[in-house]
Amino acid sequence: MTANCGDGKQDHYSKMISKYLGKLGVILDSTDLAICQRAFDAILQKWKIARDTEDAEQTAATIITLYKQGIHDENKLVTLASPHPQRK
């Protein structure tokens, strides 16, 4: 059974990541989209990044790129896509 991407809950749930998919020309099924969205939400919450910022857009792009490269573990996506403070 697959999730219905047209229902209100799924549509709202995947809205943030899917916003960036078109820009990158990427198509993900609902399961893949949910993994990316959860990683995105976790990073934004952890690092207190506002959703409508360039940092959020870059985070989404990084998650999608990593996912396309074969990293499908949500925790790995969070670790690899999280911003890292610059070292002095």
Side-chain angles (χ1 to χ4, degrees):
M1 186 165 99
T2 59
N4 180 359
C5 291
D7 72 12
K9 184 176 179 183
Q10 179 65 25
D11 196 38
H12 174 72
Y13 183 73
S14 61
K15 190 173 185 178
M16 292 308 298
I17 282 288
S18 62
K19 172 179 167 179
Y20 304 107
L21 291 174
K23 292 181 182 182
L24 299 172
V26 176
I27 297 172
L28 298 178
D29 68 25
S30 60
T31 301
D32 298 333
L33 189 58
I35 292 168
C36 291
Q37 182 67 48
R38 286 192 304 267
F40 178 78
D41 290 340
I43 292 169
L44 267 54
Q45 181 178 18
K46 178 179 180 178
W47 293 95
K48 297 178 180 20
I49 299 170
R51 290 184 181 275
D52 294 326
T53 64
E54 190 174 316
D55 288 340
E57 186 169 340
Q58 181 59 47
T59 299
T62 300
I63 290 168
I64 294 163
T65 299
L66 291 168
Y67 201 88
K68 283 176 41 181
Q69 292 174 350
I71 300 169
H72 298 167
D73 180 85
E74 186 178 330
N75 293 323
K76 287 183 183 177
L77 288 169
V78 170
T79 299
L80 294 171
S82 288
H84 299 287
Q86 293 183 355
R87 295 189 174 123
K88 294 183 180 183

